Amino acid sequence: MDVAGLDRFIVLAKRQTYVGDGVKAAPSRSGAHDLTFAEGEWSYRDSYFGGTDFLGQETVWLRDEPVWAMNYYGYILRPELIDAGRAGATIKAALSAMYAEGRFLGGFEWSGPHGVYRDSSTGDAAHFHGREAIEVGGVEAYALNYFGGLVKP
């Protein structure tokens, strides 16, 4: 597996879907929200449930074979400090800045009008886990835990 090529495609797909307000696809499961992207022999699907609190999975296929996946669960911890709209705007702006660096892992911090976004992770695209959070006034108000890596037969 070309992990560098995979990593490049993951960043591109993430930029084109959630962060880039990509076109929604037909839901893959009842009640799901799905976003898809494809380039050449690569394809990507982000499928999640919920809104304010949500759970999802991103999957990458190479020549129609699943090669990578990531699961995540995000939730509002302090609704009196941040709502779904402000959290979403903060996440999109922060991730857009991180993806502009050509990566989706490795730690990142970004400050915006609704709080401070922090991401920490260990590993690389082959095997990783991490957490993103938004602090408002020094208090963690939103969090998301994620993990994933290569899918092998």
Side-chain angles (χ1 to χ4, degrees):
M1 167 58 56
D2 172 15
V3 177
L6 170 65
D7 194 71
R8 181 203 61 79
F9 177 75
I10 292 167
V11 171
L12 178 61
K14 287 174 170 283
R15 287 179 83 174
Q16 297 296 318
T17 54
Y18 174 71
V19 168
D21 294 322
V23 177
K24 292 186 178 187
S28 56
R29 299 164 288 178
S30 180
H33 306 278
D34 286 33
L35 300 164
T36 60
F37 176 76
E39 179 185 73
E41 296 181 312
W42 297 95
S43 60
Y44 165 93
R45 179 177 292 264
D46 180 3
S47 181
Y48 65 94
F49 297 94
T52 300
D53 293 1
F54 54 95
L55 179 127
Q57 181 178 60
E58 298 173 29
T59 307
V60 171
W61 291 263
L62 177 60
R63 294 182 293 278
D64 297 322
E65 293 293 325
V67 295
W68 180 89
M70 179 181 103
N71 291 305
Y72 57 87
Y73 178 65
Y75 47 98
I76 300 290
L77 293 160
R78 301 287 299 270
E80 72 278 11
L81 297 176
I82 198 165
D83 60 20
R86 289 181 292 164
T90 300
I91 294 162
K92 283 184 176 187
L95 292 178
S96 180
M98 183 165 64
Y99 300 159
E101 295 180 359
R103 63 191 185 89
F104 74 101
L105 294 170
F108 190 74
E109 185 171 313
W110 181 89
S111 295
H114 307 300
V116 177
Y117 172 94
R118 287 191 179 91
D119 179 87
S120 61
S121 64
T122 60
D124 60 17
H127 183 260
F128 62 91
H129 65 275
R131 178 179 176 88
E132 72 176 12
I134 300 171
E135 290 184 4
V136 178
V139 177
E140 190 172 282
Y142 159 86
L144 178 140
N145 295 299
Y146 61 89
F147 61 93
L150 295 175
V151 175
K152 298 178 182 179

